Amino acid sequence: MEPLFVDRLLQITDLFQKDMARAFAGTDLTPTRVHLLWVLQHTGPSTQQTLAALCEVTPRNITALVDALEGSGHVRRTPHPSDRRAVLVELTPAAVETMARMQEEHAQLNETLTNAIAPDDRAAVERGLTAVAAHLENLVTSAASAQGQTQTQAQAQAQAQAQDGTP
């Protein structure tokens, strides 16, 4: 039986995860920590609140991530220039070098994977991948929205039942 398209996508996801685990074996870096470093590299120094939102994690999780990356020398906390209550998280010079090396490896992998596609097919593959990513993003967003609406409706129903005494 020929694998489904979605099976190939899952295979690619699994291979990327295995490659990332191999690349960071023996280091203090995990995929989640690397994601935070990528966010910092692209956004620049940021508050932990902003980082939590961008990384889609709780404030408690971002604190633990920043603590771990600070302990490994990848980030540092500095005073916020205009808000005395806040601190900024920024990459250390060592992390800037690490991220530059990662970007170089990222570009090399991109070239290697692109070269695996026949030159005449590359534009079509790019269009297809872009369309699949956009459609999947819409499906995920719609599902999350529907789930949120269902939860809100269930909460409203529970409140109404509590107010009128029905179980």
Side-chain angles (χ1 to χ4, degrees), residues 7-131:
D7 294 328
R8 291 286 187 215
L9 293 175
L10 291 170
Q11 178 186 17
I12 290 168
T13 300
D14 184 55
L15 290 168
F16 274 125
Q17 289 174 342
K18 286 177 181 175
D19 187 53
M20 186 178 281
R22 178 205 50 78
F24 301 126
T27 72
D28 293 332
L29 296 176
T30 64
T32 306
R33 291 176 186 176
V34 170
H35 181 243
L36 177 55
L37 294 176
W38 277 103
V39 168
L40 278 170
Q41 180 175 359
H42 294 288
T43 62
S46 303
T47 64
Q48 288 187 188
Q49 183 178 8
T50 299
L51 293 173
L54 292 171
C55 292
E56 297 180 349
V57 299
T58 64
R60 175 183 248 172
N61 285 342
I62 205 68
T63 297
L65 285 167
V66 171
D67 287 347
L69 287 168
E70 188 174 43
S72 64
H74 290 94
V75 301
R76 65 177 165 234
R77 290 175 168 105
T78 59
H80 193 286
S82 61
D83 183 351
R84 292 185 306 155
R85 297 166 298 156
V87 296
L88 292 177
V89 179
E90 63 185 18
L91 296 175
T92 62
V96 170
E97 288 179 29
T98 298
M99 297 311 295
R101 192 169 50 254
M102 279 190 216
Q103 279 192 294
E104 176 70 27
E105 291 167 1
H106 195 76
Q108 290 171 357
L109 179 58
N110 185 70
E111 184 177 350
T112 297
L113 294 176
T114 301
N115 288 338
I117 304 166
D120 291 345
D121 295 338
R122 290 178 187 160
V125 170
E126 179 64 33
R127 284 191 309 274
L129 287 173
T130 299

Side-chain angles (χ1 to χ4, degrees), residues 144-163:
S145 177
Q147 182 179 13
Q149 289 174 356
T150 301
Q151 288 174 344
T152 301
Q153 290 169 348
Q155 290 168 348
Q157 184 179 18
Q159 286 176 344
Q161 288 174 349
Q163 289 175 352

